[in-house]
Amino acid sequence: MKQYDVVIIGAGAAGMMCAIEAGKRGRKVLVLDHAKTAGEKIRISGGGRCNFTNINTKFDRFLSQNPRFAISALKRYTQHDFIKMVEHYKIAYHEKVLGQLFCDVSAKVIIDMLLTEMSNAGVELRLSTDVKSINKSDTYSIQLEHDTVEAQSLVVACGGKSIPKMGATGFGYQIAEQFDLPVTETRPALVPLTFADELLGRIKPLSGVSTKSSVTCNKVSFDEALLFTHRGLSGPSILQISSYWREGDEIIVDLARGINIAEQLKAMRQSSGKLSIGNALAKLITSKLAQMIVEHSGLTGNLADQNNAKLDQLGQSVNAWRIKPAGSEGYRTAEVTLGGVDTGALNAKTMEAKNTDGLYFIGEVVDMTGWLGGYNFQWAWSSGWVCGQVC
């Protein structure tokens, strides 16, 4: 039986960062992953450019039963610390919007950087390797397909359930339950929302249309782009609000952020009253969207034919479109999993389980979910780093 100081299950962002730091301390580290390649979520993130962190990272951009749990890790290993590593490797990057940092080239450069750091730290990596069982006595015994390995410390970094086609499973939650750690409710997050057939039929012609928007649900709002799809709504504002939405909840969408539609139409009525109501609205928002809204409103005739009440009502249908999504695209397309291993069962400074010595949980498997835009990667780097200092 081969012995290690640390075995890490999961060769994603958090697992690799933890392995690097533990290896730097002289620990003998083994990283296991059932995937054929390391860092698969890194590879596909940001449209293949990897939105590797956000310069605005702070704990209030995270959802959890206790968002303050993230403060210690985020302060000890910050976004600026990870940026220094990126710059040390001369990886070119740029800020896209709202503090989001992306590679100028392929996300593979981030994976290569982490693999190089792991190699330099003497970390052993085994891919295409399934964990069959875990037992604990004085040490952890991890049964693999063809052999068994032993470790003083076991780090669970195998993520959540999102994007199962890449091999995502709930295995990390099973390990938590095996060792009597509570797991909060898990849900798809940062995910497109879907509509029932009646509403879907009305918006079907809008598939592919994007617009600036403000989306509100449960007193939380995001001002970012929205995209109509063949199944419902997507785009940054919808992905963001999906983390706060629950089945049965109404969302309020401003389809013309920054434009008071009713007031603009009233002003246009004075100078352009002969315009059809549809053409008038199309001067303020995209024509396909204008056509759908006017048809649903039942208004006909020219702009001059509409009184203030009708224009106010039309304005509301644009600036405060109220809808109840039927559901979401689910884990199939969700960028992350909301919920996870209860932070109350973990030490915020080390990520170690309070009830089991030498057992650690880091990254997405923990009940800590960031906003869209690099926050979840920063949580992976930070939680992995703090764990790597002690495991």
Side-chain angles (χ1 to χ4, degrees):
M1 184 184 297
K2 198 167 183 180
Q3 296 185 334
Y4 297 87
D5 295 317
V6 185
V7 167
I8 300 171
I9 302 176
M16 288 194 282
M17 178 60 80
C18 179
I20 291 164
E21 292 303 311
K24 286 179 180 177
R25 293 170 45 232
R27 301 284 276 170
K28 186 177 181 181
V29 182
L30 170 65
V31 179
L32 304 169
D33 201 300
H34 64 182
K36 294 180 180 179
T37 56
E40 277 293 273
K41 273 199 172 180
I42 298 174
R43 181 183 61 81
I44 68 167
S45 69
R49 295 293 181 92
C50 188
N51 179 193
F52 57 83
T53 193
N54 194 297
I55 59 176
N56 300 318
T57 299
K58 49 188 177 180
F59 83 92
D60 63 359
R61 306 289 171 91
F62 290 84
L63 290 82
S64 170
Q65 288 191 345
N66 177 22
R68 298 186 68 85
F69 178 87
I71 292 175
S72 178
L74 294 175
K75 280 189 173 181
R76 291 169 61 202
Y77 189 82
T78 71
Q79 60 271 39
H80 305 294
D81 292 318
F82 191 77
I83 292 168
K84 285 179 184 177
M85 182 190 292
V86 169
E87 291 177 342
H88 175 75
Y89 277 79
K90 302 188 185 319
I91 295 172
Y93 65 90
H94 60 278
E95 180 181 348
K96 194 171 181 181
V97 292
L98 303 173
Q100 302 170 15
L101 300 187
F102 288 77
C103 298
D104 285 357
V105 294
S106 167
K108 191 173 184 298
V109 295
I110 297 292
I111 300 171
D112 290 343
M113 174 187 76
L114 296 168
L115 290 173
T116 299
E117 287 283 302
M118 285 170 58
S119 178
N120 292 343
V123 174
E124 181 182 342
L125 173 63
R126 291 199 209 177
L127 299 170
S128 300
T129 301
D130 290 322
V131 174
K132 299 301 183 182
S133 65
I134 299 168
N135 293 290
K136 184 181 187 305
S137 52
D138 292 335
T139 60
Y140 291 90
S141 176
I142 301 101
Q143 177 69 49
L144 309 177
E145 188 171 2
H146 300 296
D147 65 336
T148 301
V149 296
E150 191 175 70
Q152 296 173 2
S153 297
L154 176 64
V155 180
V156 181
C158 46
K161 300 175 182 177
S162 58
I163 317 184
K165 69 180 180 182
M166 292 177 54
T169 69
F171 186 53
Y173 311 134
Q174 296 173 28
I175 298 173
E177 290 166 355
Q178 176 184 342
F179 290 95
D180 296 322
L181 275 74
V183 176
T184 69
E185 177 194 8
T186 56
R187 294 174 54 87
L190 302 182
V191 63
L193 298 178
T194 59
F195 291 158
D197 289 344
E198 181 181 354
L199 180 55
L200 199 58
R202 178 151 53 97
I203 70 157
K204 192 174 182 179
L206 297 175
S207 181
V209 171
S210 180
T211 185
K212 292 181 180 180
S213 71
S214 179
V215 182
T216 302
C217 182
N218 292 319
K219 301 181 179 179
V220 178
S221 297
F222 289 97
D223 296 341
E224 295 187 61
L226 173 148
L227 175 69
F228 287 88
T229 75
H230 67 289
R231 288 173 57 85
L233 296 176
S234 188
S237 62
I238 293 297
L239 298 185
Q240 294 278 36
I241 210 67
S242 70
S243 297
Y244 296 85
W245 174 84
R246 293 291 182 274
E247 286 77 2
D249 286 347
E250 179 182 71
I251 65 173
I252 304 171
V253 182
D254 183 348
L255 292 165
R257 177 164 50 92
I259 302 174
N260 186 317
I261 294 296
E263 293 305 313
Q264 289 290 323
L265 289 175
K266 290 172 187 177
M268 288 171 60
R269 187 172 54 187
Q270 303 300 317
S271 59
S272 307
K274 291 184 179 180
L275 281 175
S276 71
I277 185 63
N279 287 339
L281 185 58
K283 288 184 174 295
L284 302 175
I285 60 176
T286 183
S287 58
K288 281 188 176 181
L289 185 56
Q291 180 181 350
M292 184 273 287
I293 290 170
V294 170
E295 286 179 358
H296 185 65
S297 73
L299 296 180
T300 58
N302 295 335
L303 183 56
D305 300 328
Q306 317 304 322
N307 60 28
N308 284 350
K310 290 180 179 179
L311 294 183
D312 285 339
Q313 184 178 0
L314 187 63
Q316 279 291 101
S317 65
V318 178
N319 292 130
W321 183 34
R322 294 176 176 270
I323 47 174
K324 285 187 178 182
S328 79
E329 293 277 6
Y331 290 115
R332 182 179 66 84
T333 60
E335 295 199 12
V336 291
T337 302
L338 188 70
V341 177
D342 195 326
T343 57
L346 303 175
N347 183 318
K349 293 182 178 180
T350 64
M351 307 304 295
E352 185 176 20
K354 292 178 179 178
N355 69 347
T356 308
D357 292 342
L359 179 63
Y360 303 81
F361 292 83
I362 58 175
E364 187 184 347
V365 74
V366 178
D367 174 28
M368 190 62 61
T369 305
W371 286 4
L372 182 73
Y375 294 98
N376 289 292
F377 273 130
Q378 187 56 48
W379 168 245
W381 314 135
S382 297
S383 61
W385 187 90
V386 298
C387 181
Q389 308 308 306
V390 296
C391 65

